[in-house]
Amino acid sequence: MEDDHYHDGYTAFLEDVWGEGFLSPGGPDEVARIVDGLDIEGARILDIGCGSGAIATALVRDHGAAHVTGIDVEAPVCELARQRAADAGCADQITIRLIEPGPLDFPDQCFDVVFSKDAIIHIPDKDALAADVFRVLKPGGWFAASDWLISHDGPPSPEMALYIKLEDLDFAMASPTRYEAALEGAGFGHVSLVSRNPWYTELGRRELAFMTGEARKELEDKHGKDITQFMVDVWEAMVPVLESGEHCPTHLRGQRPA
């Protein structure tokens, strides 16, 4: 794979599986579930790991956010996100920043909501992440995210280790217990974690069937045989660890006390 994990070919394939502008599963419906019950009308939102921009535009157009600042460490997806915001007529409400990994470069208490969808898996230090998110939230603000978790502390099973190796995306998976401790340790209240494993187990099976079924030739013609086979290999390793429950996509939420 290229130095930018989410180069144009990789991104285009994922969008064929997960929907235009989405680099993780569920599309706008899953975004809506992550923020369900939160009033984000007029909110200023930080989107950590904004990817190619569909989430930022959804938060503005579908949920009424006043402004979304999307950050990502990969230049290709930042360019796609800026273009998507412009095409959607939201360029004045969406700012996309290419950043270096590390602490959030924002003032204290400047966001109403910090959002992330399946991106903080790449951040190894969950305590530092939780503390930094807490710092940039206004009192009463919410952290609303989803991430790909491992069900337990300690080393992964051989099956999970193979999956992580095949993904080749610097995964730093943590357990639900680890995340809960990090959020509570940072000072968050109303901490909740909701497993999405049953949902994505079924969806992951359907995605693999799509890649290996009648669409296989079309995918190969569009994206090339090598990247198609790479994706099939990843999904064939992922589905068993979803089925075992060791891979557990999870919604995370916590509130900075008012």
mmCIF file of all heavy atoms in Angstrom, residues 191-222:
data_model
loop_
_atom_site.group_PDB
_atom_site.id
_atom_site.type_symbol
_atom_site.label_atom_id
_atom_site.label_comp_id
_atom_site.label_asym_id
_atom_site.label_seq_id
_atom_site.Cartn_x
_atom_site.Cartn_y
_atom_site.Cartn_z
ATOM 1 N N VAL A 191 -21.213 8.697 31.068
ATOM 2 C CA VAL A 191 -20.457 7.867 30.129
ATOM 3 C C VAL A 191 -21.291 6.641 29.760
ATOM 4 O O VAL A 191 -21.863 5.969 30.624
ATOM 5 C CB VAL A 191 -19.115 7.438 30.742
ATOM 6 C CG1 VAL A 191 -18.404 6.418 29.856
ATOM 7 C CG2 VAL A 191 -18.230 8.655 30.984
ATOM 8 N N SER A 192 -21.356 6.371 28.460
ATOM 9 C CA SER A 192 -22.066 5.180 28.001
ATOM 10 C C SER A 192 -21.328 4.562 26.829
ATOM 11 O O SER A 192 -20.706 5.257 26.025
ATOM 12 C CB SER A 192 -23.510 5.512 27.596
ATOM 13 O OG SER A 192 -23.538 6.376 26.470
ATOM 14 N N LEU A 193 -21.392 3.246 26.748
ATOM 15 C CA LEU A 193 -20.830 2.490 25.639
ATOM 16 C C LEU A 193 -21.895 1.506 25.166
ATOM 17 O O LEU A 193 -22.505 0.790 25.973
ATOM 18 C CB LEU A 193 -19.572 1.718 26.051
ATOM 19 C CG LEU A 193 -18.305 2.537 26.326
ATOM 20 C CD1 LEU A 193 -18.313 3.109 27.738
ATOM 21 C CD2 LEU A 193 -17.058 1.690 26.118
ATOM 22 N N VAL A 194 -22.134 1.497 23.860
ATOM 23 C CA VAL A 194 -23.155 0.633 23.271
ATOM 24 C C VAL A 194 -22.511 -0.197 22.168
ATOM 25 O O VAL A 194 -22.029 0.353 21.167
ATOM 26 C CB VAL A 194 -24.329 1.448 22.700
ATOM 27 C CG1 VAL A 194 -25.350 0.514 22.047
ATOM 28 C CG2 VAL A 194 -24.976 2.300 23.781
ATOM 29 N N SER A 195 -22.510 -1.504 22.331
ATOM 30 C CA SER A 195 -21.905 -2.380 21.321
ATOM 31 C C SER A 195 -22.722 -2.379 20.039
ATOM 32 O O SER A 195 -23.952 -2.476 20.072
ATOM 33 C CB SER A 195 -21.804 -3.813 21.851
ATOM 34 O OG SER A 195 -21.317 -4.669 20.813
ATOM 35 N N ARG A 196 -22.023 -2.276 18.923
ATOM 36 C CA ARG A 196 -22.663 -2.391 17.608
ATOM 37 C C ARG A 196 -22.214 -3.665 16.904
ATOM 38 O O ARG A 196 -22.363 -3.807 15.685
ATOM 39 C CB ARG A 196 -22.298 -1.168 16.758
ATOM 40 C CG ARG A 196 -22.818 0.134 17.316
ATOM 41 C CD ARG A 196 -24.332 0.207 17.232
ATOM 42 N NE ARG A 196 -24.768 0.458 15.863
ATOM 43 C CZ ARG A 196 -25.932 0.055 15.344
ATOM 44 N NH1 ARG A 196 -26.773 -0.655 16.066
ATOM 45 N NH2 ARG A 196 -26.247 0.347 14.103
ATOM 46 N N ASN A 197 -21.679 -4.616 17.675
ATOM 47 C CA ASN A 197 -21.183 -5.853 17.078
ATOM 48 C C ASN A 197 -22.267 -6.643 16.326
ATOM 49 O O ASN A 197 -22.028 -7.073 15.192
ATOM 50 C CB ASN A 197 -20.528 -6.731 18.138
ATOM 51 C CG ASN A 197 -20.194 -8.124 17.617
ATOM 52 O OD1 ASN A 197 -21.028 -9.027 17.705
ATOM 53 N ND2 ASN A 197 -19.007 -8.290 17.076
ATOM 54 N N PRO A 198 -23.455 -6.844 16.908
ATOM 55 C CA PRO A 198 -24.457 -7.620 16.163
ATOM 56 C C PRO A 198 -24.801 -6.989 14.817
ATOM 57 O O PRO A 198 -24.940 -7.699 13.800
ATOM 58 C CB PRO A 198 -25.662 -7.650 17.110
ATOM 59 C CG PRO A 198 -25.071 -7.462 18.467
ATOM 60 C CD PRO A 198 -23.929 -6.522 18.275
ATOM 61 N N TRP A 199 -24.950 -5.670 14.810
ATOM 62 C CA TRP A 199 -25.250 -4.959 13.555
ATOM 63 C C TRP A 199 -24.145 -5.150 12.534
ATOM 64 O O TRP A 199 -24.411 -5.522 11.377
ATOM 65 C CB TRP A 199 -25.450 -3.477 13.851
ATOM 66 C CG TRP A 199 -25.348 -2.584 12.646
ATOM 67 C CD1 TRP A 199 -26.285 -2.433 11.663
ATOM 68 C CD2 TRP A 199 -24.246 -1.729 12.291
ATOM 69 N NE1 TRP A 199 -25.831 -1.529 10.713
ATOM 70 C CE2 TRP A 199 -24.592 -1.091 11.076
ATOM 71 C CE3 TRP A 199 -23.027 -1.435 12.880
ATOM 72 C CZ2 TRP A 199 -23.740 -0.182 10.439
ATOM 73 C CZ3 TRP A 199 -22.178 -0.536 12.264
ATOM 74 C CH2 TRP A 199 -22.540 0.082 11.048
ATOM 75 N N TYR A 200 -22.881 -4.909 12.936
ATOM 76 C CA TYR A 200 -21.835 -4.955 11.932
ATOM 77 C C TYR A 200 -21.430 -6.375 11.565
ATOM 78 O O TYR A 200 -20.931 -6.616 10.472
ATOM 79 C CB TYR A 200 -20.601 -4.142 12.339
ATOM 80 C CG TYR A 200 -19.700 -3.937 11.140
ATOM 81 C CD1 TYR A 200 -20.236 -3.454 9.933
ATOM 82 C CD2 TYR A 200 -18.360 -4.271 11.164
ATOM 83 C CE1 TYR A 200 -19.456 -3.303 8.810
ATOM 84 C CE2 TYR A 200 -17.563 -4.121 10.041
ATOM 85 C CZ TYR A 200 -18.117 -3.638 8.863
ATOM 86 O OH TYR A 200 -17.341 -3.499 7.739
ATOM 87 N N THR A 201 -21.679 -7.339 12.438
ATOM 88 C CA THR A 201 -21.426 -8.731 12.053
ATOM 89 C C THR A 201 -22.269 -9.100 10.838
ATOM 90 O O THR A 201 -21.767 -9.649 9.848
ATOM 91 C CB THR A 201 -21.725 -9.680 13.223
ATOM 92 O OG1 THR A 201 -20.863 -9.363 14.322
ATOM 93 C CG2 THR A 201 -21.489 -11.126 12.823
ATOM 94 N N GLU A 202 -23.544 -8.785 10.901
ATOM 95 C CA GLU A 202 -24.431 -9.091 9.778
ATOM 96 C C GLU A 202 -24.060 -8.269 8.548
ATOM 97 O O GLU A 202 -24.009 -8.784 7.415
ATOM 98 C CB GLU A 202 -25.884 -8.840 10.170
ATOM 99 C CG GLU A 202 -26.895 -9.090 9.059
ATOM 100 C CD GLU A 202 -26.829 -10.492 8.481
ATOM 101 O OE1 GLU A 202 -26.512 -11.431 9.236
ATOM 102 O OE2 GLU A 202 -27.076 -10.641 7.257
ATOM 103 N N LEU A 203 -23.795 -6.982 8.739
ATOM 104 C CA LEU A 203 -23.440 -6.137 7.612
ATOM 105 C C LEU A 203 -22.109 -6.569 7.007
ATOM 106 O O LEU A 203 -21.953 -6.583 5.778
ATOM 107 C CB LEU A 203 -23.363 -4.673 8.050
ATOM 108 C CG LEU A 203 -23.022 -3.645 6.968
ATOM 109 C CD1 LEU A 203 -23.995 -3.718 5.790
ATOM 110 C CD2 LEU A 203 -22.986 -2.236 7.556
ATOM 111 N N GLY A 204 -21.139 -6.908 7.836
ATOM 112 C CA GLY A 204 -19.846 -7.366 7.326
ATOM 113 C C GLY A 204 -19.972 -8.609 6.461
ATOM 114 O O GLY A 204 -19.288 -8.740 5.435
ATOM 115 N N ARG A 205 -20.842 -9.522 6.851
ATOM 116 C CA ARG A 205 -21.086 -10.711 6.017
ATOM 117 C C ARG A 205 -21.631 -10.299 4.653
ATOM 118 O O ARG A 205 -21.215 -10.842 3.608
ATOM 119 C CB ARG A 205 -22.084 -11.640 6.711
ATOM 120 C CG ARG A 205 -21.596 -12.315 7.978
ATOM 121 C CD ARG A 205 -22.648 -13.322 8.449
ATOM 122 N NE ARG A 205 -22.353 -13.880 9.763
ATOM 123 C CZ ARG A 205 -23.112 -13.728 10.834
ATOM 124 N NH1 ARG A 205 -24.240 -13.006 10.748
ATOM 125 N NH2 ARG A 205 -22.782 -14.275 11.977
ATOM 126 N N ARG A 206 -22.565 -9.347 4.653
ATOM 127 C CA ARG A 206 -23.148 -8.914 3.381
ATOM 128 C C ARG A 206 -22.112 -8.191 2.521
ATOM 129 O O ARG A 206 -22.095 -8.336 1.296
ATOM 130 C CB ARG A 206 -24.363 -8.005 3.630
ATOM 131 C CG ARG A 206 -25.513 -8.703 4.329
ATOM 132 C CD ARG A 206 -26.841 -7.997 4.093
ATOM 133 N NE ARG A 206 -26.829 -6.598 4.458
ATOM 134 C CZ ARG A 206 -27.169 -6.136 5.663
ATOM 135 N NH1 ARG A 206 -27.532 -6.975 6.617
ATOM 136 N NH2 ARG A 206 -27.157 -4.835 5.905
ATOM 137 N N GLU A 207 -21.239 -7.408 3.164
ATOM 138 C CA GLU A 207 -20.192 -6.715 2.413
ATOM 139 C C GLU A 207 -19.242 -7.707 1.761
ATOM 140 O O GLU A 207 -18.845 -7.534 0.597
ATOM 141 C CB GLU A 207 -19.430 -5.785 3.356
ATOM 142 C CG GLU A 207 -20.262 -4.592 3.825
ATOM 143 C CD GLU A 207 -19.652 -3.870 5.006
ATOM 144 O OE1 GLU A 207 -18.653 -4.368 5.566
ATOM 145 O OE2 GLU A 207 -20.181 -2.792 5.361
ATOM 146 N N LEU A 208 -18.870 -8.756 2.487
ATOM 147 C CA LEU A 208 -17.990 -9.774 1.914
ATOM 148 C C LEU A 208 -18.682 -10.493 0.761
ATOM 149 O O LEU A 208 -18.053 -10.753 -0.281
ATOM 150 C CB LEU A 208 -17.577 -10.775 2.991
ATOM 151 C CG LEU A 208 -16.678 -11.926 2.530
ATOM 152 C CD1 LEU A 208 -15.392 -11.407 1.886
ATOM 153 C CD2 LEU A 208 -16.375 -12.865 3.704
ATOM 154 N N ALA A 209 -19.958 -10.789 0.926
ATOM 155 C CA ALA A 209 -20.695 -11.437 -0.160
ATOM 156 C C ALA A 209 -20.755 -10.541 -1.393
ATOM 157 O O ALA A 209 -20.658 -11.017 -2.536
ATOM 158 C CB ALA A 209 -22.106 -11.801 0.312
ATOM 159 N N PHE A 210 -20.899 -9.239 -1.183
ATOM 160 C CA PHE A 210 -20.898 -8.280 -2.298
ATOM 161 C C PHE A 210 -19.562 -8.309 -3.038
ATOM 162 O O PHE A 210 -19.517 -8.368 -4.272
ATOM 163 C CB PHE A 210 -21.178 -6.886 -1.743
ATOM 164 C CG PHE A 210 -20.891 -5.754 -2.694
ATOM 165 C CD1 PHE A 210 -21.739 -5.493 -3.766
ATOM 166 C CD2 PHE A 210 -19.773 -4.946 -2.519
ATOM 167 C CE1 PHE A 210 -21.475 -4.441 -4.641
ATOM 168 C CE2 PHE A 210 -19.506 -3.896 -3.380
ATOM 169 C CZ PHE A 210 -20.359 -3.652 -4.448
ATOM 170 N N MET A 211 -18.461 -8.310 -2.289
ATOM 171 C CA MET A 211 -17.134 -8.273 -2.911
ATOM 172 C C MET A 211 -16.798 -9.552 -3.671
ATOM 173 O O MET A 211 -16.044 -9.516 -4.642
ATOM 174 C CB MET A 211 -16.058 -8.072 -1.836
ATOM 175 C CG MET A 211 -16.093 -6.745 -1.131
ATOM 176 S SD MET A 211 -14.743 -6.716 0.091
ATOM 177 C CE MET A 211 -15.363 -5.474 1.200
ATOM 178 N N THR A 212 -17.337 -10.663 -3.206
ATOM 179 C CA THR A 212 -16.975 -11.957 -3.806
ATOM 180 C C THR A 212 -18.044 -12.494 -4.742
ATOM 181 O O THR A 212 -17.857 -13.554 -5.339
ATOM 182 C CB THR A 212 -16.712 -12.987 -2.694
ATOM 183 O OG1 THR A 212 -17.861 -13.093 -1.848
ATOM 184 C CG2 THR A 212 -15.495 -12.592 -1.875
ATOM 185 N N GLY A 213 -19.143 -11.787 -4.879
ATOM 186 C CA GLY A 213 -20.247 -12.250 -5.707
ATOM 187 C C GLY A 213 -20.227 -11.660 -7.108
ATOM 188 O O GLY A 213 -19.164 -11.460 -7.708
ATOM 189 N N GLU A 214 -21.418 -11.328 -7.587
ATOM 190 C CA GLU A 214 -21.539 -10.847 -8.968
ATOM 191 C C GLU A 214 -20.807 -9.532 -9.188
ATOM 192 O O GLU A 214 -20.404 -9.230 -10.316
ATOM 193 C CB GLU A 214 -23.023 -10.680 -9.321
ATOM 194 C CG GLU A 214 -23.786 -11.994 -9.383
ATOM 195 C CD GLU A 214 -25.240 -11.802 -9.761
ATOM 196 O OE1 GLU A 214 -25.653 -10.628 -9.982
ATOM 197 O OE2 GLU A 214 -25.970 -12.809 -9.835
ATOM 198 N N ALA A 215 -20.608 -8.748 -8.132
ATOM 199 C CA ALA A 215 -19.929 -7.455 -8.275
ATOM 200 C C ALA A 215 -18.414 -7.590 -8.384
ATOM 201 O O ALA A 215 -17.727 -6.606 -8.683
ATOM 202 C CB ALA A 215 -20.268 -6.548 -7.093
ATOM 203 N N ARG A 216 -17.874 -8.797 -8.161
ATOM 204 C CA ARG A 216 -16.413 -8.967 -8.113
ATOM 205 C C ARG A 216 -15.735 -8.467 -9.394
ATOM 206 O O ARG A 216 -14.768 -7.701 -9.337
ATOM 207 C CB ARG A 216 -16.078 -10.444 -7.873
ATOM 208 C CG ARG A 216 -14.587 -10.792 -7.909
ATOM 209 C CD ARG A 216 -13.847 -10.234 -6.696
ATOM 210 N NE ARG A 216 -12.441 -10.561 -6.686
ATOM 211 C CZ ARG A 216 -11.887 -11.484 -5.894
ATOM 212 N NH1 ARG A 216 -12.632 -12.192 -5.057
ATOM 213 N NH2 ARG A 216 -10.599 -11.708 -5.924
ATOM 214 N N LYS A 217 -16.238 -8.864 -10.544
ATOM 215 C CA LYS A 217 -15.592 -8.463 -11.797
ATOM 216 C C LYS A 217 -15.660 -6.954 -11.995
ATOM 217 O O LYS A 217 -14.686 -6.315 -12.423
ATOM 218 C CB LYS A 217 -16.216 -9.170 -12.994
ATOM 219 C CG LYS A 217 -15.467 -8.879 -14.307
ATOM 220 C CD LYS A 217 -16.061 -9.630 -15.486
ATOM 221 C CE LYS A 217 -15.217 -9.401 -16.737
ATOM 222 N NZ LYS A 217 -14.974 -7.974 -17.031
ATOM 223 N N GLU A 218 -16.810 -6.352 -11.672
ATOM 224 C CA GLU A 218 -16.947 -4.902 -11.796
ATOM 225 C C GLU A 218 -15.960 -4.181 -10.877
ATOM 226 O O GLU A 218 -15.335 -3.178 -11.273
ATOM 227 C CB GLU A 218 -18.373 -4.484 -11.464
ATOM 228 C CG GLU A 218 -18.623 -2.987 -11.610
ATOM 229 C CD GLU A 218 -20.051 -2.591 -11.273
ATOM 230 O OE1 GLU A 218 -20.904 -3.498 -11.146
ATOM 231 O OE2 GLU A 218 -20.310 -1.384 -11.123
ATOM 232 N N LEU A 219 -15.804 -4.695 -9.657
ATOM 233 C CA LEU A 219 -14.844 -4.100 -8.725
ATOM 234 C C LEU A 219 -13.414 -4.232 -9.252
ATOM 235 O O LEU A 219 -12.617 -3.297 -9.162
ATOM 236 C CB LEU A 219 -14.967 -4.764 -7.355
ATOM 237 C CG LEU A 219 -16.250 -4.480 -6.578
ATOM 238 C CD1 LEU A 219 -16.357 -5.386 -5.354
ATOM 239 C CD2 LEU A 219 -16.320 -3.015 -6.145
ATOM 240 N N GLU A 220 -13.099 -5.387 -9.815
ATOM 241 C CA GLU A 220 -11.763 -5.596 -10.367
ATOM 242 C C GLU A 220 -11.507 -4.687 -11.561
ATOM 243 O O GLU A 220 -10.408 -4.123 -11.703
ATOM 244 C CB GLU A 220 -11.581 -7.057 -10.770
ATOM 245 C CG GLU A 220 -11.497 -8.011 -9.593
ATOM 246 C CD GLU A 220 -11.362 -9.457 -10.006
ATOM 247 O OE1 GLU A 220 -11.674 -9.777 -11.182
ATOM 248 O OE2 GLU A 220 -10.977 -10.285 -9.167
ATOM 249 N N ASP A 221 -12.515 -4.539 -12.406
ATOM 250 C CA ASP A 221 -12.358 -3.666 -13.574
ATOM 251 C C ASP A 221 -12.175 -2.213 -13.144
ATOM 252 O O ASP A 221 -11.411 -1.466 -13.767
ATOM 253 C CB ASP A 221 -13.578 -3.779 -14.491
ATOM 254 C CG ASP A 221 -13.665 -5.126 -15.200
ATOM 255 O OD1 ASP A 221 -12.644 -5.842 -15.223
ATOM 256 O OD2 ASP A 221 -14.751 -5.458 -15.711
ATOM 257 N N LYS A 222 -12.867 -1.812 -12.094
ATOM 258 C CA LYS A 222 -12.830 -0.415 -11.655
ATOM 259 C C LYS A 222 -11.597 -0.101 -10.812
ATOM 260 O O LYS A 222 -10.983 0.961 -10.958
ATOM 261 C CB LYS A 222 -14.095 -0.097 -10.868
ATOM 262 C CG LYS A 222 -14.215 1.355 -10.420
ATOM 263 C CD LYS A 222 -15.564 1.605 -9.746
ATOM 264 C CE LYS A 222 -15.702 3.053 -9.292
ATOM 265 N NZ LYS A 222 -17.027 3.275 -8.623
#
